[in-house]
Amino acid sequence: MAADVEAQNGGHDVNSKGASAPPQGSDANGAPKKPRPRRPNYHEIHVKPIPLDIYPLPAFIPHNPISIVRIVLALLSHSLFPPKSHVVAHRAYFSAETQSIHVTDAASIRALWEQGFWGKGSLSRSEPQWLTGEKKKRGIEASKTSAEVTQNRREERRQFKLERARAQREAIEQQLRQEGKLDADGSIEELVDDGQISESPRGTIYTPDAGDVVTVKGDSIVSEIDKSLKESAPSWDEAEPMRSEAVEIKDQEHLQLTPEEAFYLTYSFGALSVATVTEGETEGSPVSYPSWFLFRLYAAYAGFPVPEALISNLQSAYQIHNDGRGSVSDISRIEPDNQFILRYVVYHHFRSLGWVVRPGIKFAVDYLLYLRGPAFHHAEFAIMIIPSYSDLYWTQAPESETKLECRQRELRRKDWWWLHRVNRVQSAVFKTLVLVYVEVPPPWDVKASSESGLKVDIGNVLKQYKVREVVIKRWSPNRNRD
């Protein structure tokens, strides 16, 4: 008997309700499913968390004396033949128009993105993939970009929801016919017109009196809901790529770094050199800025509007300092609460702790913290920077009273309603808001008008800033009752 039923159903499996299930490896229509393309191995692509080569010592095993010999041999080998941690020194160009740092070399772009997720593509949402997308658009074979994969998945989910709603509607109509509430050739629209049932704009069906939701009883039509979306879904996977002539496409995208990212790569790692000329200029050879001058340059561009006289004086002072022609004058000192410095202090703090720090403007915050990077996880924390003027200098020094009043006026804008709005956004995207208070020290750039004061002891400056973290979470009476 079982063999006869199997033969009548074309070799398909039969469930307890008598409905036949499609064979394994095919959809509800019987067509073979196309296998999903394999995802890139991100663990192999992003195996290096920073753009440096690290040479760890062998593991020490207490009960194995040979491990001590291995450590000694490794130390001797590194002493006699020191390994190079900086295999490649990447070059970048500072753009005054965009107030960002541009990396144009293709190898450096891939290396900086794959080794720590630094910067973003100037023509892409995050990962520099403009060239791959352009090849796909022109019909040249190329791998899918991450943006295309995300868009395809969204379209698949949308089509699946539409198909599921249609199948549920048909199942309800079939159930109403079996209960005698609907004619054989009738539809739900007739019951809605007669006032027997009501339908919401989202397709949910209710009884008019009690407001109960009309649902499907039993699982005899479950297979209808699991139908394939092959007929209605876009056929981007099955379409053959258009063949075009072999035309070389020039990559017009560059990697765009924020000043905080670029300065961390320059000062902390020494893996990035920022040149004084742009890519299009050919006169002379590019000369890299030292870290102390980049510190002043990024701080000068932190405000808006950018004071042109300050930038011109800073460039002139740098030329005078390099040529050794005398003392430097008319250099505006860096305020201790400069926006670039506050942002870099926080960036340096979390990068040093191992977090992948990305700009958070998409979610109305300063930074987003990733455990390993956007290719592996969503951002776990959202960072909002708030300067704190708790040092005695800001309350006792007479010359600082006016400035303190202006700064406190800015802080008053971040009241309870501001905090509630920001926290509400982070809760909606499943992120934890962290308020990072940066203790602003007294003015430290007091010798900016002398030749010796042009240089900045960056390490000593960063030591004067303190960081405090406060985690903010929404209190819900239903979830936090205890």
Side-chain angles (χ1 to χ4, degrees):
M1 182 64 181
D4 296 339
V5 174
E6 182 178 357
Q8 293 175 3
N9 288 277
H12 294 182
D13 296 333
V14 181
N15 56 19
S16 59
K17 299 294 183 179
S20 61
Q24 188 176 5
S26 62
D27 56 15
N29 296 331
K33 289 184 178 180
K34 188 171 183 179
R36 282 181 173 269
R38 295 185 60 183
R39 295 183 59 187
N41 189 354
Y42 293 117
H43 297 280
E44 181 178 353
I45 295 175
H46 303 282
V47 64
K48 296 177 63 176
I50 57 177
L52 300 176
D53 286 343
I54 302 174
Y55 303 90
L57 292 175
F60 172 68
I61 304 175
H63 60 274
N64 188 0
I66 301 179
S67 64
I68 303 178
V69 178
R70 292 177 179 174
I71 295 175
V72 173
L73 291 178
L75 291 175
L76 290 176
S77 175
H78 290 177
S79 301
L80 299 176
F81 308 98
K84 295 182 179 180
S85 58
H86 299 73
V87 179
V88 178
H90 307 289
R91 181 173 294 277
Y93 304 90
F94 177 73
S95 173
E97 292 76 11
T98 61
Q99 300 183 19
S100 59
I101 295 83
H102 298 173
V103 181
T104 56
D105 181 65
S108 298
I109 290 175
R110 293 312 309 173
L112 290 176
W113 175 259
E114 294 176 358
Q115 300 170 12
F117 302 97
W118 306 90
K120 70 172 292 293
S122 59
L123 301 177
S124 304
R125 295 181 59 185
S126 181
E127 181 180 357
Q129 292 184 333
W130 177 85
L131 182 60
T132 305
E134 188 67 17
K135 289 181 179 180
K136 199 76 174 179
K137 185 188 302 181
R138 299 190 184 186
I140 303 175
E141 283 193 39
S143 59
K144 281 189 176 181
T145 62
S146 58
E148 287 180 325
V149 173
T150 303
Q151 183 64 27
N152 292 350
R153 289 178 179 174
R154 291 175 179 173
E155 185 66 19
E156 288 179 358
R157 287 196 296 266
R158 189 182 71 86
Q159 293 290 347
F160 175 76
K161 290 179 181 179
L162 293 175
E163 185 71 16
R164 182 178 58 186
R166 185 186 64 82
Q168 289 178 348
R169 189 182 184 87
E170 293 178 355
I172 291 175
E173 290 181 352
Q174 180 181 355
Q175 179 176 313
L176 293 176
R177 292 190 187 99
Q178 294 176 356
E179 295 175 357
K181 299 179 181 179
L182 188 63
D183 298 336
D185 54 350
S187 61
I188 293 181
E189 284 76 5
E190 297 178 359
L191 299 179
V192 174
D193 296 338
D194 296 340
Q196 299 182 18
I197 60 175
S198 59
E199 185 177 9
S200 68
R202 302 185 63 178
T204 306
I205 300 174
Y206 301 90
T207 59
D209 299 331
D212 297 331
V213 180
V214 180
T215 58
V216 182
K217 300 177 182 178
D219 56 353
S220 60
I221 44 81
V222 172
S223 60
E224 294 290 333
I225 302 177
D226 296 332
K227 285 185 178 180
S228 173
L229 306 178
K230 184 178 180 180
E231 298 179 358
S232 57
S235 58
W236 50 75
D237 287 334
E238 300 177 0
E240 289 292 333
M242 297 174 58
R243 299 296 178 180
S244 61
E245 298 180 0
V247 180
E248 183 179 358
I249 303 176
K250 183 180 179 181
D251 193 358
Q252 303 178 12
E253 187 176 33
H254 61 266
L255 188 69
Q256 194 171 3
L257 300 172
T258 62
E260 295 79 22
E261 291 175 319
F263 191 76
Y264 192 88
L265 289 170
T266 303
Y267 171 71
S268 300
F269 288 158
L272 184 72
S273 61
V274 181
T276 60
V277 299
T278 58
E279 185 187 13
E281 297 180 357
T282 57
E283 298 180 359
S285 58
V287 180
S288 300
Y289 285 127
S291 297
W292 59 266
F293 182 75
L294 288 175
F295 193 78
R296 289 192 175 276
L297 183 65
Y298 297 153
Y301 277 95
F304 184 83
V306 179
E308 297 294 338
L310 173 61
I311 302 301
S312 178
N313 293 340
L314 188 60
Q315 295 285 357
S316 301
Y318 179 69
Q319 291 295 333
I320 295 175
H321 176 80
N322 283 347
D323 299 340
R325 290 180 289 175
S327 61
V328 179
S329 60
D330 299 331
I331 297 298
S332 299
R333 69 179 187 180
I334 302 176
E335 295 293 336
D337 58 348
N338 184 275
Q339 289 298 315
F340 163 73
I341 299 179
L342 296 181
R343 292 175 61 87
Y344 179 73
V345 167
V346 176
Y347 187 91
H348 188 106
H349 172 71
F350 286 107
R351 269 287 185 177
S352 301
L353 294 177
W355 292 95
V356 175
V357 187
R358 302 284 298 167
I361 189 173
K362 180 178 179 181
F363 302 107
V365 292
D366 293 310
Y367 291 123
L368 296 176
L369 299 186
Y370 293 84
L371 186 61
R372 293 187 59 188
F376 301 97
H377 309 280
H378 289 286
E380 189 170 352
F381 296 98
I383 303 300
M384 180 63 70
I385 303 174
I386 300 179
S388 176
Y389 301 93
S390 59
D391 192 271
L392 295 178
Y393 169 83
W394 300 107
T395 56
Q396 295 181 356
E399 66 275 6
S400 63
E401 292 181 358
T402 304
K403 292 183 178 180
L404 180 60
E405 292 178 359
C406 297
R407 290 176 170 90
Q408 288 179 345
R409 191 181 305 114
E410 294 294 329
L411 290 178
R412 291 192 192 100
R413 297 180 180 179
K414 298 180 178 180
D415 54 5
W416 166 252
W417 300 110
W418 166 85
L419 178 62
H420 182 71
R421 290 193 297 267
V422 174
N423 192 29
R424 184 66 180 87
V425 172
Q426 310 315 313
S427 300
V429 294
F430 303 101
K431 291 173 176 50
T432 302
L433 178 63
V434 180
L435 300 181
V436 179
Y437 291 89
V438 181
E439 297 289 342
V440 180
W444 44 264
D445 191 20
V446 295
K447 297 182 179 180
S449 60
S450 63
E451 181 180 0
S452 60
L454 184 62
K455 289 187 177 182
V456 179
D457 188 357
I458 302 173
N460 187 32
V461 170
L462 296 180
K463 289 180 182 178
Q464 302 182 40
Y465 291 85
K466 301 294 187 294
V467 174
R468 292 185 290 112
E469 305 165 3
V470 178
V471 177
I472 303 295
K473 290 186 177 181
R474 291 184 65 200
W475 183 81
S476 176
N478 295 331
R479 298 182 180 180
N480 308 103
R481 193 177 302 242
D482 295 334

